[in-house]
Amino acid sequence: MSKKPSSLLLAMAVAALSFAACSPSAYVLSLESRSPSQSGLNLDDKSMAIVYLESEDGTDTLFNNRVADALAFALETDYFNGEEGVKVYNLKKDPAGVYNSRDTLSQYVMMLDSDVVMILDTPVIGTSVSPTGAVPASSKLYVYDSMKKDEEVVTLNSHSSIKSLSDSDRALNIGKSFSSPLKVQWQNENFTVLYFDGYKWINAIELADQMKWSEAIDIWMDLVKNNNAAMSSSARYNVALGCFILGQNELAIE
């Protein structure tokens, strides 16, 4: 569901009702709405693919595979109700390749037939050794959303320390850390439903309150036919609001 219908839809309602002598009452519904992730990307209803790079000698293959799998699992939990929905691929890294460029990532969008493509670069291992025997390691994830207007590439960074590239727990933690700024954020939104006295109006509000918006819309569509201009306009507004909340934005505008 998109963030805020209030400014546009309420303006429509006010304009439609400004001439009417009989005004409707307002019922406010407090709902949680999805908003873009911390990264600024909105990955709702988009197909996704992860490509993890591996060095020529293959020493980091297993490590990056586990990072990619952990990331895919977290995204599937958040966006696909825990069902399989994120494709994972591996690719030998070309030393001359520029994997964080829009041109490169847009090619993978076409090849993998995915709206969103993420490329996990090979880890960079430092040389300084801590008293525990661990060395610093950093990973980069390049995320490209082909459906976003500006189509910018978002780069996410992870810094940690590992004892070896066979440290599967560390790899899984890195994958989870990459998923955090990509996860859906939820926020409370207030939505105003207009109504008059009468069984149908109250019943429609009760249905909306139970998140049965399609059933509520059916009632409002019938009330649109009312000869009372204020009632008809209020019903039209409620239908538009219901369509908006159901994600049917074009129908809401209509």
Side-chain angles (χ1 to χ4, degrees):
M1 184 176 67
S2 301
K3 286 183 65 177
K4 291 184 178 180
S6 53
S7 57
L8 172 61
L9 294 179
L10 284 179
M12 291 166 52
V14 170
L17 297 172
S18 60
F19 62 87
C22 179
S23 299
S25 299
Y27 181 80
V28 178
L29 289 172
S30 182
L31 306 174
E32 279 193 328
S33 63
R34 298 164 76 100
S35 61
S37 62
Q38 291 178 7
S39 66
L41 298 173
N42 187 344
L43 305 184
D44 266 333
D45 300 321
K46 296 176 183 177
S47 55
M48 306 180 203
I50 300 172
V51 179
Y52 66 89
L53 303 179
E54 50 188 12
S55 300
E56 195 64 37
D57 59 12
T59 55
D60 49 27
T61 299
L62 183 59
F63 185 85
N64 257 13
N65 172 264
R66 286 171 172 165
V67 173
D69 280 350
L71 172 58
F73 179 79
L75 293 173
E76 287 170 344
T77 299
D78 208 39
Y79 290 100
F80 297 92
N81 295 320
E83 298 181 4
E84 186 174 344
V86 181
K87 296 170 285 188
V88 178
Y89 303 89
N90 63 308
L91 178 69
K92 289 290 184 183
K93 184 175 181 178
D94 180 353
V98 183
Y99 294 99
N100 63 344
S101 74
R102 186 173 66 178
D103 290 341
T104 299
L105 283 154
S106 62
Q107 292 178 30
Y108 284 106
V109 165
M110 300 298 293
M111 286 189 291
L112 303 178
D113 190 26
S114 293
D115 301 323
V116 179
V117 170
M118 308 177 195
I119 294 184
L120 176 64
D121 211 337
T122 53
V124 176
I125 309 301
T127 56
S128 59
V129 181
S130 71
T132 62
V135 294
S138 61
S139 296
K140 290 181 181 291
L141 181 72
Y142 313 122
V143 186
Y144 176 69
D145 180 1
S146 64
M147 307 294 285
K148 197 170 186 288
K149 288 184 178 180
D150 56 20
E151 295 185 352
E152 65 178 2
V153 178
V154 174
T155 299
L156 303 178
N157 297 280
S158 176
H159 301 282
S160 60
S161 59
I162 61 174
K163 291 186 177 181
S164 73
L165 286 172
S166 62
D167 189 342
S168 59
D169 288 339
R170 181 62 65 185
L172 295 176
N173 287 336
I174 291 173
K176 291 177 183 177
S177 70
F178 277 135
S179 72
S180 293
L182 298 174
K183 286 186 175 181
V184 169
Q185 295 190 104
W186 292 90
Q187 62 181 26
N188 288 325
E189 295 281 353
N190 291 327
F191 301 98
T192 302
V193 178
L194 304 177
Y195 72 98
F196 292 82
D197 289 337
Y199 172 75
K200 287 187 176 180
W201 290 100
I202 302 303
N203 188 30
I205 285 182
E206 290 176 346
L207 291 169
D209 201 34
Q210 297 168 20
M211 297 303 292
K212 297 178 180 179
W213 286 96
S214 295
E215 296 178 39
I217 288 173
D218 289 340
I219 295 176
W220 290 322
M221 286 295 293
D222 185 56
L223 291 170
V224 164
K225 305 171 187 176
N226 198 296
N227 291 329
N228 182 293
M231 290 184 177
S232 179
S233 298
S234 296
R236 291 175 187 274
Y237 160 77
N238 289 345
V239 169
L241 174 61
C243 291
F244 185 93
I245 289 178
L246 291 176
Q248 301 168 348
N249 294 344
E250 292 185 5
L251 189 58
I253 294 173
E254 181 181 344

